[in-house]
Amino acid sequence: MVLTSYEWDRDQLEKIIEELESILLEMVKLETSFNEFLEKIHPTYRDSAINFLHYLALRQKDIRELQENLAHLGISSLGRAESHVMDNISSILKILYYLNGRHGRSPMISKNLIKYEDGKRLLEHHTNGLIGDRTAKRDTRIMVTMPSEAANDYRLVRDLLASGMDCMRINCAYDDVDAWARMISSLRRAERELKKTCRVSMDLAGHKLRTGPVEPAPAVIRWSPRQDGYGRVMAPARIWLTPMEYCAQAPTDTDASLPVPVKWLSGINIGDVVKFNDTRDRSRRLKIADSFEECKLAECYKSAYVIENTVMHHYVSGDEDSEPIDAQVGKLPENERYIVLKKGETLIMTEDRTPGTAAVRDEAGNVVIPATIGVTMPEIFSRVKPGERVWIDDGKIGGIIRHVNKNHMHVEITHARPRGEKLRGSKGINLPDSRLDLPPLTKKDVEDLAFISHNADIVGFSFVNSASGVYELQSRLKELGGDNLGILLKIETVSAFEHLPELLLAAMRSPGAGVMIARGDLAVECGYERMAEVQEEILWFCEAAHMPVVWATQVLEKLAKKGMPSRAEITDAAMGVRAECVMLNKGAYIVEAARTLDDILMRMQVHQKKKRSMLRKLDLAKRFKVLKENVEKPDRN
């Protein structure tokens, strides 16, 4: 029964006391049952492991009614007890003993009591050890994923370090040992130049299931003139004619670029006319409007489709009755490769790595032959079952397995926009319902560990699912002399989330450990509607374990890639202050994104610490005193 007023009697208080004492007893029992296991925990994490066990004992009960009663009494409701859970309950009990006349009584507690200040100190100590010391102005660290060009661009690495990067992240799914070594070398040089330090985290590629390549689309150049809302031509399309022997970069305001023989092009002058028939056998006319040495700029008032070997007829001085000089269009760049999938259609996923093909359709647009695409891990076909879900490309495409055998499976597309979704090669595939039972480390992972163990500070464990996998990684690192490395558990599957307690305790055998909330894959696996809840639980468990958290995936993504953030991602980045580190992914504007994140985190840290709101003096409240007269004496006119 929930208390309904500030009045209470001894019987009500006694029931609350009994419930809290029962919780303390369960904490002590769980800790005692793990005594042998705790001996294997690294000394720096032993107290944290004990507090974590206490928290697990607390969260095995539904204490919402107890919280409500404590709140009515004006006493802590245990909502912020993660880092010092037994101490918090013990303090509450001492108050309740006093209120109920039991002066001098003390609750039964473990000899390993982690107090409030201990919890803060341990989390900061573990964060410093894993990701590096906090800066003078900012508590939350910034991790930045290196793009491939960082291997040969010292200025990019230096600018990122100057803009607030505290940890360089290298994803071993991309590039190679030589490129990674150059990235790290540039970082060390930048550290010396800027007199700053930065950790290096290297993610194992892991068992990342991806789509295979896609058959290239026809190499076609298309253009159209500019039209108004009524379809009237307002301005011609601008076509750049460049020597095929050494293609010159087209101006940014052109609509298309055509490679043609330099000898033919050199004979063309302003005012000349070039005619051709496009792929639809429609006659089209180009008028030469400008000349830039060998390159020419032409104008066309009609749309056209041009392919390689299209014959161009040059009429000198625009005399279209004269004998033309002919040439053929050279090799054109391949168009973007993708397959369009619509809801209700079938996608055949195969073990064959030959390029995937689009669906064959009849004149009415109905599918005659389904689309096909290969996968990077054909062993999944013996492990998945009909009825299980498939998500592709961070959840943009969803489907259900309808049929499967040893070398292919049929997937019915159930999630796609009405006009269809574009499926490209090398896109991630998630199987949230399937139990794949794959070995924790791939052959590539084991090979990469040889470099990681001697060049990195942290190893990111991708697609970790079990404590045994953590033990295997720790064993491999010890063999390579890298047992001093910190381990960053990437929680990106439902299985990893469901085994989070075991994973955290296993990681505590290492001198440094942390958790990355890989929100992209995790959201696809658990469902976007559940992502916020899952994210909160991970943050709670990690705070109870005094383990640093990296807030990752799509942070300031539009800013990093396009140079302009959305309002939603600014708010998301601000909430990253609840973690110990925020990760940025690569993009053309990554330096600007790092500067922006640095500013956001500095502003937010005075307002938020973990899940606690910090009650800094607010100018908005202070201003009310100045405006008081306006409230008391409203304008009567």
Side-chain angles (χ1 to χ4, degrees), residues 20-38:
L20 288 170
E21 288 177 334
S22 172
I23 292 172
L24 278 183
L25 180 60
E26 293 300 321
M27 291 180 179
V28 173
K29 285 182 178 179
L30 187 58
E31 177 191 338
T32 302
S33 69
F34 271 82
N35 277 340
E36 186 176 342
F37 177 87
L38 289 170

Side-chain angles (χ1 to χ4, degrees), residues 477-633:
L477 288 173
K478 186 174 182 179
E479 291 172 4
L480 294 165
D483 51 343
N484 61 313
L485 266 66
I487 292 178
L488 190 62
L489 305 172
K490 295 177 64 179
I491 307 302
E492 46 199 329
T493 65
V494 169
S495 179
F497 172 70
E498 290 174 347
H499 294 92
L500 185 61
E502 303 99 288
L503 292 174
L504 296 184
L505 289 167
M508 288 180 186
R509 294 188 177 196
S510 294
V515 163
M516 176 183 285
I517 309 179
R519 299 181 301 166
D521 282 307
L522 189 56
V524 173
E525 289 254 337
C526 69
Y528 287 95
E529 66 282 355
R530 196 181 168 215
M531 184 59 213
E533 175 190 7
V534 168
Q535 182 173 276
E536 288 299 302
E537 290 190 32
I538 296 173
L539 286 168
W540 296 338
F541 274 48
C542 288
E543 186 175 1
H546 309 133
M547 191 170 286
V549 174
V550 179
W551 182 280
T553 313
Q554 297 179 336
V555 178
L556 296 180
E557 183 178 39
K558 288 186 178 178
L559 174 57
K561 291 185 176 180
K562 300 181 179 179
M564 182 63 69
S566 67
R567 290 186 293 274
E569 70 180 20
I570 291 292
T571 302
D572 175 65
M575 287 299 97
V577 77
R578 297 182 58 196
E580 283 63 51
C581 183
V582 178
M583 190 195 88
L584 292 173
N585 221 324
K586 50 197 173 185
Y589 301 90
I590 185 61
V591 174
E592 183 179 347
R595 292 195 191 105
T596 302
L597 181 60
D598 178 63
D599 182 67
I600 290 171
L601 294 174
M602 280 195 294
R603 292 175 181 275
M604 283 301 300
Q605 68 187 13
V606 297
H607 298 287
Q608 188 82 29
K609 184 69 174 177
K610 301 303 284 181
K611 67 176 182 177
R612 293 180 289 276
S613 297
M614 309 302 288
L615 302 183
R616 189 204 76 172
K617 179 174 67 175
L618 295 178
D619 290 339
L620 190 60
K622 185 178 177 182
R623 195 177 300 122
F624 177 73
K625 184 177 180 181
V626 178
L627 300 176
K628 184 179 178 184
E629 290 185 6
N630 294 338
V631 177
E632 295 180 337
K633 301 175 183 179

